[in-house]
Amino acid sequence: MFGADHANVQPHAGAIANMGAYQAVIEPGDTVLGMSLDHGGHLTHGSPVNFSGLQYRFVSYGVTASDERIDLDQLRDLALAERPKLIVAGATAYPRLIQPEPLREIADESGALLMFDAAHIAGLIAGGVHPNPTQFADIVTFTTHKTLRGPRGGAIICRSDYAKAVDKAMFPGIQGGPLDHAVAAKAVAFAEAATPEFAEYAARIVDNSRALAAALAGHGFRLVSGGTDNHLMLVDLRTFDPDLTGKEAQATLDAAGISLNKNTVPDDPRSPFVTSGVRIGTPAVTTQGMDADDMATIADLISRALRNRSDDAAVAAVRADAAALCAAKPPYPGLDTED
Ligand SMILES: *Cc1c(COP(=O)(O)O)cnc(C)c1O
């Protein structure tokens, strides 16, 4: 599916795949560059409370202040100054395309290996709507349960020269026996992701994401980086209502039947437990068959619920409208959901 020499499908999760990748190619104490958490990186990209930050010396790069896209100049400067063993690309809350070529160039210039953590976008890569990093990165990790739409799990793919080290890192290095039921489910997900229908699905995810982002902007929300190229968007709530926090928005929208999560925006003045933003994804509603018109409806519902968040009846009315939308586009049309 990704054109890799070698795959290890045993990692029980994305975090464990990253642990295996690090263990395969670097030593404890080595310097690694990773994307900073408050700019969209993952805990396993060097958070001080995570094994990654505890075992390795992570240095963070981020997005520019001007366009909120990965700051390649900063990344190059850091790579040349720090001479890391490994550069980790990939993110958990970044709405833009990540081009693998310039990262490869920076890795080569600085003598580093390149790892691409495709946890979020593996399905978009499989569907051909985002560039495949496999030929540019030394090692690629991903989850099988995000845009790939399979079972909870992880996987590592790599060039043949790292195959032995990766397999050894996963077993006996980190895990015991494989979860065979999960590996079987991954095989089903890979088979589905290799079909033309999945490629159409991946393209529709991004179309819906752009439509929802544009509709939210129309309601006065600020989109981090001005929009999205992938399955998610980061919404800065401060232009909509400076008093509204991500925490309160998440709780209100939960009550309104709309699931999303609070998320920091770049250089967020609020703590990660409160935040000034939310992160919204379109893969699930796309699976339900929703389209651009439905995205406009969802943006209306979000705006209505948040404007009227102190009015329980108004939030309940949004919840009824969200339920009606879902009833019209059921996730499992073949299933009888009557009690
Ligand atoms: C989700 C995610 C992971 C971890 O995946 P889990 O299966 O939750 O352990 C790792 N890296 C990135 C970039 C992610 O988004």
Side-chain angles (χ1 to χ4, degrees):
M1 193 167 69
F2 293 107
D5 293 343
H6 182 73
N8 185 304
V9 294
Q10 294 192 18
H12 299 340
I16 308 302
N18 286 350
M19 184 182 261
Y22 298 154
Q23 190 158 313
V25 301
I26 57 175
E27 301 289 327
D30 279 350
T31 298
V32 186
L33 294 192
M35 192 157 173
S36 107
L37 259 68
D38 61 334
H39 286 197
H42 190 255
L43 284 164
T44 55
H45 299 182
S47 159
V49 299
N50 183 263
F51 81 88
S52 55
L54 293 167
Q55 284 185 30
Y56 305 101
R57 182 180 164 269
F58 267 85
V59 177
S60 297
Y61 61 89
V63 298
T64 67
S66 53
D67 68 0
E68 298 177 305
R69 295 172 195 232
I70 292 171
D71 188 343
L72 290 173
D73 295 332
Q74 179 202 32
L75 179 49
R76 177 177 291 102
D77 290 347
L78 277 175
L80 294 175
E82 300 283 349
R83 298 281 167 184
K85 282 272 174 59
L86 180 69
I87 295 175
V88 180
T92 201
Y94 182 69
R96 293 300 184 175
L97 199 95
I98 302 178
Q99 287 287 3
E101 295 99 316
L103 300 166
R104 176 77 258 170
E105 280 165 25
I106 293 171
D108 287 343
E109 246 178 273
S110 61
L113 296 174
L114 178 64
M115 168 174 149
F116 197 106
D117 178 352
H120 259 264
I121 56 169
L124 302 180
I125 295 167
V129 296
H130 271 227
N132 183 350
T134 309
Q135 70 176 109
F136 299 102
D138 299 283
I139 193 159
V140 176
T141 58
F142 57 98
T143 66
T144 49
H145 55 276
K146 295 179 181 173
T147 54
L148 203 59
R149 207 171 56 172
R152 280 208 68 100
I156 306 174
I157 54 183
C158 62
R159 290 213 315 266
S160 50
D161 26 338
Y162 297 112
K164 268 213 175 84
V166 163
D167 289 351
K168 200 172 141 216
M170 286 319 307
F171 178 89
I174 296 166
Q175 292 183 173
L179 304 180
D180 284 333
H181 59 299
V183 172
K186 286 172 191 177
V188 173
F190 298 150
E192 286 182 1
T195 60
E197 291 75 22
F198 192 89
E200 278 167 33
Y201 165 62
R204 278 189 287 116
I205 289 174
V206 178
D207 290 346
N208 278 341
S209 191
R210 292 208 168 108
L212 183 56
L216 287 168
H219 285 281
F221 294 96
R222 187 185 82 86
L223 278 297
V224 169
S225 84
T228 176
D229 300 323
N230 63 18
H231 60 300
L232 66 81
M233 66 214 71
L234 273 180
V235 181
D236 184 340
L237 301 165
R238 293 173 295 181
T239 52
F240 178 80
D241 180 345
D243 295 329
L244 177 61
T245 66
K247 185 181 176 185
E248 194 183 7
Q250 177 181 333
T252 299
L253 292 169
D254 256 341
I258 299 172
S259 299
L260 45 69
N261 73 305
K262 65 176 187 276
N263 211 102
T264 50
V265 296
D267 302 318
D268 201 320
R270 295 188 173 108
S271 91
F273 302 103
V274 179
T275 83
S276 300
V278 291
R279 183 180 65 155
I280 313 179
T282 54
V285 292
T286 303
T287 294
Q288 287 178 249
M290 294 193 195
D291 58 18
D293 288 343
D294 298 317
M295 297 306 113
T297 304
I298 291 171
D300 279 340
L301 296 179
I302 289 173
S303 171
R304 247 174 68 203
L306 294 180
R307 283 242 180 274
N308 299 294
R309 61 188 183 280
S310 53
D311 178 348
D312 288 352
V315 173
V318 172
R319 187 180 179 90
D321 288 350
L325 178 61
C326 289
K329 304 270 170 89
Y332 303 106
L335 282 189
D336 180 5
T337 53
E338 300 285 305
D339 285 334

mmCIF file of all heavy atoms in Angstrom, residues 274-291:
data_model
loop_
_atom_site.group_PDB
_atom_site.id
_atom_site.type_symbol
_atom_site.label_atom_id
_atom_site.label_comp_id
_atom_site.label_asym_id
_atom_site.label_seq_id
_atom_site.Cartn_x
_atom_site.Cartn_y
_atom_site.Cartn_z
ATOM 1 N N VAL A 274 -7.162 24.100 29.380
ATOM 2 C CA VAL A 274 -8.250 25.063 29.139
ATOM 3 C C VAL A 274 -8.303 25.375 27.628
ATOM 4 O O VAL A 274 -9.294 25.113 26.972
ATOM 5 C CB VAL A 274 -8.039 26.342 29.982
ATOM 6 C CG1 VAL A 274 -9.161 27.333 29.706
ATOM 7 C CG2 VAL A 274 -7.991 25.995 31.467
ATOM 8 N N THR A 275 -7.247 25.904 27.089
ATOM 9 C CA THR A 275 -7.039 26.184 25.655
ATOM 10 C C THR A 275 -7.962 27.267 25.074
ATOM 11 O O THR A 275 -9.016 27.567 25.630
ATOM 12 C CB THR A 275 -7.172 24.923 24.748
ATOM 13 O OG1 THR A 275 -8.539 24.654 24.450
ATOM 14 C CG2 THR A 275 -6.473 23.720 25.346
ATOM 15 N N SER A 276 -7.539 27.779 23.921
ATOM 16 C CA SER A 276 -8.339 28.788 23.210
ATOM 17 C C SER A 276 -8.905 28.234 21.912
ATOM 18 O O SER A 276 -9.428 28.992 21.093
ATOM 19 C CB SER A 276 -7.463 30.005 22.885
ATOM 20 O OG SER A 276 -6.954 30.566 24.078
ATOM 21 N N GLY A 277 -8.785 26.918 21.711
ATOM 22 C CA GLY A 277 -9.243 26.386 20.432
ATOM 23 C C GLY A 277 -9.916 25.033 20.550
ATOM 24 O O GLY A 277 -9.981 24.433 21.625
ATOM 25 N N VAL A 278 -10.446 24.587 19.429
ATOM 26 C CA VAL A 278 -10.945 23.216 19.318
ATOM 27 C C VAL A 278 -10.400 22.611 18.024
ATOM 28 O O VAL A 278 -10.051 23.334 17.081
ATOM 29 C CB VAL A 278 -12.494 23.129 19.317
ATOM 30 C CG1 VAL A 278 -13.059 23.502 20.685
ATOM 31 C CG2 VAL A 278 -13.124 23.966 18.218
ATOM 32 N N ARG A 279 -10.351 21.290 18.012
ATOM 33 C CA ARG A 279 -9.888 20.534 16.843
ATOM 34 C C ARG A 279 -11.074 19.720 16.346
ATOM 35 O O ARG A 279 -11.712 19.014 17.121
ATOM 36 C CB ARG A 279 -8.733 19.628 17.289
ATOM 37 C CG ARG A 279 -8.089 18.826 16.189
ATOM 38 C CD ARG A 279 -6.958 17.968 16.741
ATOM 39 N NE ARG A 279 -7.454 16.948 17.670
ATOM 40 C CZ ARG A 279 -6.828 15.801 17.938
ATOM 41 N NH1 ARG A 279 -5.665 15.542 17.365
ATOM 42 N NH2 ARG A 279 -7.335 14.945 18.785
ATOM 43 N N ILE A 280 -11.361 19.854 15.070
ATOM 44 C CA ILE A 280 -12.536 19.182 14.503
ATOM 45 C C ILE A 280 -12.099 18.338 13.311
ATOM 46 O O ILE A 280 -11.321 18.795 12.471
ATOM 47 C CB ILE A 280 -13.586 20.199 13.993
ATOM 48 C CG1 ILE A 280 -13.831 21.301 15.033
ATOM 49 C CG2 ILE A 280 -14.880 19.491 13.628
ATOM 50 C CD1 ILE A 280 -14.838 22.356 14.577
ATOM 51 N N GLY A 281 -12.609 17.122 13.223
ATOM 52 C CA GLY A 281 -12.264 16.252 12.098
ATOM 53 C C GLY A 281 -13.500 15.816 11.327
ATOM 54 O O GLY A 281 -14.592 15.720 11.892
ATOM 55 N N THR A 282 -13.304 15.529 10.025
ATOM 56 C CA THR A 282 -14.433 15.144 9.176
ATOM 57 C C THR A 282 -14.478 13.672 8.743
ATOM 58 O O THR A 282 -15.411 13.294 8.039
ATOM 59 C CB THR A 282 -14.472 16.027 7.904
ATOM 60 O OG1 THR A 282 -13.197 15.968 7.247
ATOM 61 C CG2 THR A 282 -14.798 17.464 8.239
ATOM 62 N N PRO A 283 -13.519 12.799 9.144
ATOM 63 C CA PRO A 283 -13.601 11.412 8.668
ATOM 64 C C PRO A 283 -14.910 10.695 9.032
ATOM 65 O O PRO A 283 -15.483 9.996 8.192
ATOM 66 C CB PRO A 283 -12.390 10.735 9.322
ATOM 67 C CG PRO A 283 -11.403 11.841 9.476
ATOM 68 C CD PRO A 283 -12.244 13.044 9.848
ATOM 69 N N ALA A 284 -15.395 10.873 10.264
ATOM 70 C CA ALA A 284 -16.578 10.113 10.676
ATOM 71 C C ALA A 284 -17.824 10.580 9.930
ATOM 72 O O ALA A 284 -18.581 9.761 9.389
ATOM 73 C CB ALA A 284 -16.780 10.233 12.192
ATOM 74 N N VAL A 285 -18.035 11.900 9.859
ATOM 75 C CA VAL A 285 -19.235 12.377 9.153
ATOM 76 C C VAL A 285 -19.150 12.071 7.657
ATOM 77 O O VAL A 285 -20.184 11.884 7.002
ATOM 78 C CB VAL A 285 -19.508 13.884 9.400
ATOM 79 C CG1 VAL A 285 -19.904 14.129 10.846
ATOM 80 C CG2 VAL A 285 -18.329 14.749 8.987
ATOM 81 N N THR A 286 -17.932 11.974 7.132
ATOM 82 C CA THR A 286 -17.779 11.613 5.716
ATOM 83 C C THR A 286 -18.185 10.154 5.506
ATOM 84 O O THR A 286 -18.841 9.811 4.513
ATOM 85 C CB THR A 286 -16.332 11.875 5.248
ATOM 86 O OG1 THR A 286 -16.014 13.241 5.492
ATOM 87 C CG2 THR A 286 -16.162 11.575 3.762
ATOM 88 N N THR A 287 -17.815 9.302 6.456
ATOM 89 C CA THR A 287 -18.254 7.900 6.387
ATOM 90 C C THR A 287 -19.784 7.817 6.411
ATOM 91 O O THR A 287 -20.383 6.962 5.755
ATOM 92 C CB THR A 287 -17.655 7.095 7.559
ATOM 93 O OG1 THR A 287 -16.244 7.028 7.395
ATOM 94 C CG2 THR A 287 -18.212 5.671 7.611
ATOM 95 N N GLN A 288 -20.413 8.744 7.136
ATOM 96 C CA GLN A 288 -21.877 8.768 7.194
ATOM 97 C C GLN A 288 -22.509 9.283 5.907
ATOM 98 O O GLN A 288 -23.740 9.329 5.805
ATOM 99 C CB GLN A 288 -22.346 9.636 8.369
ATOM 100 C CG GLN A 288 -22.121 8.973 9.715
ATOM 101 C CD GLN A 288 -22.535 9.868 10.874
ATOM 102 O OE1 GLN A 288 -21.691 10.341 11.613
ATOM 103 N NE2 GLN A 288 -23.822 10.114 11.018
ATOM 104 N N GLY A 289 -21.677 9.699 4.948
ATOM 105 C CA GLY A 289 -22.213 10.159 3.667
ATOM 106 C C GLY A 289 -22.563 11.633 3.657
ATOM 107 O O GLY A 289 -23.277 12.101 2.777
ATOM 108 N N MET A 290 -22.077 12.396 4.647
ATOM 109 C CA MET A 290 -22.397 13.830 4.660
ATOM 110 C C MET A 290 -21.553 14.574 3.620
ATOM 111 O O MET A 290 -20.460 14.153 3.266
ATOM 112 C CB MET A 290 -22.176 14.392 6.061
ATOM 113 C CG MET A 290 -23.166 13.810 7.069
ATOM 114 S SD MET A 290 -23.152 14.715 8.607
ATOM 115 C CE MET A 290 -24.011 13.538 9.676
ATOM 116 N N ASP A 291 -22.124 15.694 3.130
ATOM 117 C CA ASP A 291 -21.471 16.465 2.065
ATOM 118 C C ASP A 291 -21.323 17.933 2.462
ATOM 119 O O ASP A 291 -21.572 18.295 3.621
ATOM 120 C CB ASP A 291 -22.277 16.311 0.765
ATOM 121 C CG ASP A 291 -23.722 16.779 0.944
ATOM 122 O OD1 ASP A 291 -24.008 17.521 1.918
ATOM 123 O OD2 ASP A 291 -24.578 16.403 0.108
#
